[in-house]
Amino acid sequence: MSVLLNEAKAMQAELSWIRREIHKKPEIGMDLPITTAFVMEQLKKHGIEAERIIDSGISALIEGGKPGKTILLRGDMDALPLAEESGEEFASEFAGKSHGCGHDMHAASLIGAAILLNKHRDRIHGRVKLMWQPGEEIFEGAKAMIAAGIMENPSLDAALDLHVDASSPIGVLNYSKGPFTTSADNFLIKIKGSGSHGSTPESSIDPLNVAVQIYNAIASMRFREIKSSEFLAMSICSISSGSSFNIIPDSVEMRATMRTYNPAIRDYVVDRVEKITKEVASLYRAEGSFEIVSNAPTIVNDSYMVDKVSEYLADFGMDFESDPTFRISASDDFGFIAKTVPSVMFFVGCKPEGRERNFLHNPKVVFDEAALPISSALLAHVAMKWLEEHA
C-alpha cells in the first residue's frame, strides 16, 4: 500500500467527522457561509493557507519544493433543495436541504488531499492549487471562480476532479477517455397570447394550444433530425399557466432540460428549439421567446491524461475495478475548467455494503465513508505523479 493511502486511511476518523459536520448543515446555491467558514477553519488547523476569492469560494496553493507546473484539484460544497430521508444520525439539520448530491464527501476528500499534499510538499514538483466551490448544482460556481481568477496566478496546466458514485461499491473507479458527462442546457420558453373566457376560445390567442404544438414539434425534431446513435435527452419538465376552469390564460411558461455528449448536436438543437419556439408561436398568432437559464459544457476526459492516470495507479496500493466505456448522462460545471485545460474526472464508488438501491439526488441516499481516504489519497497521488513526470 502506498504511503499516501496509508496516511489517508489513518485520517479516517477525522475525515468522517469533517464530512458529517458539513453534512449536518447543508447550504444551497452560491451562499454557503457556514460551510465555507468550516472548510477554512479545517485548512487553517493544518497550517494550510487559503483565501476566499468569492464569498463562498475557497482557493489554496501548495507550493512544492521543486520547480514545475501547476495542477488544479477541485471540490464542490453546495447541497440540494431536497429533504433528507437517509436515517443517518448526522442527517441534515436544515429542513428541505440535504447533501444527497455527495458534495459533502467531495469537500471533505479535498481537505484530506490538501493535508497529504501539504505534508509532502517538499516532494512536489511545481504546485497544486485547490478549489472548493459553491453553486455546482446551478452551474454558477465554477464560472464565478474562473472570473475571480482561480485559473490564473499561477496559470493551470491540468486539472482533476472527483465525484462519488453512490450506485457502485468501494473499489470501483471510473475515468474513461473522451466525453465523460453530458452537457446541460436548462431553458425557458415563454409564450405570450391573449386570454379570454373559456366559452369563447375564438376570442383568444390560446397560449396553451401553442405550447402543445411547440412540445410536439420539439419531440418530432429529436426523432426526425438527430441520428438514433447520438445520445440526446430532451425533457420538457414543466408547463405552467392559468389557474381557472373557465379562463384561457394570456401566457405559458415551459421549462426544459437538454443533455448530450456531442457539442455539435448541442449547438444544433439549441438553434432548432429557438426557431421552433418563435416560428410555431408566430404561426398561431402568438409571441414566443427562448432563453437558456443555466448551462454546463461536456466534461471531456483528456485521453493522454487518462493513460497517465492508469500508469500512476499501478503503485497506488489498490486494484480498482474500472469500465473503459463508462460515462454518465448527468452534467457538472467542472466542464468549464475541463474545456480550457487537460483534465480528468473520476467517479469513485461509495455504495455501502449490502445496500441494493442507492442513487444520487435521492432523499434516501447514503454513502460509505471508507471512500473518503481513498478519494483524498487518489487526488494527491495522481497530482504528485503528474507534476513529477511533467516537471
Side-chain angles (χ1 to χ4, degrees):
M1 190 176 295
S2 73
V3 170
L4 290 175
L5 185 55
N6 263 330
E7 292 178 351
K9 289 192 172 185
M11 293 193 293
Q12 177 73 70
E14 180 181 8
L15 294 177
S16 294
W17 174 78
I18 290 171
R19 179 257 168 157
R20 293 181 185 195
E21 290 299 304
I22 296 171
H23 188 93
K24 286 190 290 187
K25 296 177 171 59
E27 298 170 293
I28 63 176
M30 294 294 290
D31 189 23
L32 320 178
I34 299 171
T35 308
T36 304
F38 178 76
V39 172
M40 292 282 285
E41 180 184 347
Q42 302 315 304
L43 295 173
K44 183 178 180 181
K45 185 188 300 184
H46 286 276
I48 300 167
E49 293 186 9
E51 62 175 329
R52 300 188 190 205
I53 64 170
I54 59 174
D55 285 347
S56 295
I58 302 167
S59 173
L61 185 67
I62 296 178
E63 288 278 2
K66 304 172 184 180
K69 296 183 181 293
T70 303
I71 192 168
L72 174 77
L73 307 184
R74 176 267 203 168
D76 36 21
M77 307 186 292
D78 57 317
L80 291 166
L82 177 74
E84 182 168 353
E85 301 172 12
S86 68
E88 299 279 27
E89 61 181 21
F90 51 88
S92 171
E93 297 174 357
F94 297 164
K97 300 177 184 179
S98 73
H99 272 289
C101 49
H103 293 184
D104 55 331
M105 298 282 287
H106 302 168
S109 295
L110 190 57
I111 291 171
I115 294 168
L116 292 172
L117 290 163
N118 194 49
K119 182 177 180 180
H120 295 281
R121 62 193 310 153
D122 289 345
R123 293 172 46 201
I124 295 174
H125 295 257
R127 62 205 62 81
V128 183
K129 187 176 282 190
L130 302 111
M131 164 186 174
W132 287 263
Q133 71 157 83
E136 189 284 318
E137 293 294 345
I138 57 173
F139 303 146
E140 293 297 331
K143 288 191 291 186
M145 292 193 74
I146 290 169
I150 192 67
M151 302 185 73
E152 303 160 6
N153 300 317
S155 60
L156 304 182
D157 298 292
L160 299 172
D161 183 42
L162 178 147
H163 204 297
V164 289
D165 180 2
S167 60
S168 297
I170 296 290
V172 172
L173 177 67
N174 286 305
Y175 54 99
S176 56
K177 296 180 181 180
F180 191 68
T181 68
T182 57
S183 59
D185 287 276
N186 299 324
F187 55 89
L188 174 65
I189 293 172
K190 293 183 178 180
I191 304 158
K192 183 180 179 182
S194 179
S196 74
H197 195 281
S199 65
T200 58
E202 69 279 3
S203 301
S204 74
I205 298 176
D206 184 357
L208 287 166
N209 176 55
V210 178
V212 170
Q213 307 307 322
I214 290 173
Y215 184 104
N216 289 334
I218 290 173
S220 178
M221 178 272 298
R222 191 266 172 266
F223 290 108
R224 287 290 179 266
E225 300 179 31
I226 307 298
K227 289 181 180 180
S228 59
S229 58
E230 290 284 354
F231 177 88
L232 174 64
M234 286 282 297
S235 298
I236 295 176
C237 299
S238 169
I239 300 179
S240 56
S241 180
S243 59
S244 174
F245 289 101
N246 62 350
I247 300 174
I248 295 173
D250 286 320
S251 62
V252 172
E253 289 190 354
M254 305 169 70
R255 291 172 173 80
T257 191
M258 175 186 69
R259 311 292 172 113
T260 182
Y261 296 103
N262 187 332
I265 295 296
R266 179 264 175 196
D267 292 344
Y268 176 84
V269 172
V270 166
D271 180 67
R272 288 290 290 132
V273 171
E274 183 171 15
K275 286 180 179 177
I276 287 169
T277 297
K278 293 179 177 179
E279 292 178 11
V280 170
S282 177
L283 180 64
Y284 289 91
R285 302 174 296 140
E287 296 178 16
S289 67
F290 171 86
E291 175 190 359
I292 296 176
V293 177
S294 60
N295 71 303
T298 300
I299 295 173
V300 178
N301 278 348
D302 182 81
S303 294
Y304 170 79
M305 281 193 73
V306 167
D307 285 339
K308 288 301 173 183
V309 167
S310 296
E311 292 177 16
Y312 303 153
L313 291 180
D315 62 351
F316 177 67
M318 284 185 66
D319 292 324
F320 289 109
E321 178 185 337
S322 299
D323 177 0
T325 66
F326 180 92
R327 59 183 186 174
I328 56 175
S329 59
S331 307
D332 190 296
D333 73 352
F334 180 69
F336 289 110
I337 293 169
K339 76 175 186 178
T340 305
V341 296
S343 302
V344 172
M345 182 187 206
F346 302 101
F347 238 49
V348 180
C350 65
K351 183 175 74 171
E353 190 174 347
R355 186 93 172 185
E356 290 188 12
R357 295 177 58 81
N358 201 52
F359 302 105
L360 293 170
H361 289 226
N362 185 287
K364 293 181 170 59
V365 67
V366 291
F367 303 91
D368 189 338
E369 291 177 336
L372 291 169
I374 295 171
S375 299
S376 296
L378 174 71
L379 288 170
H381 178 83
V382 173
M384 289 179 68
K385 286 282 191 178
W386 188 90
L387 289 169
E388 181 180 1
E389 184 172 4
H390 296 85

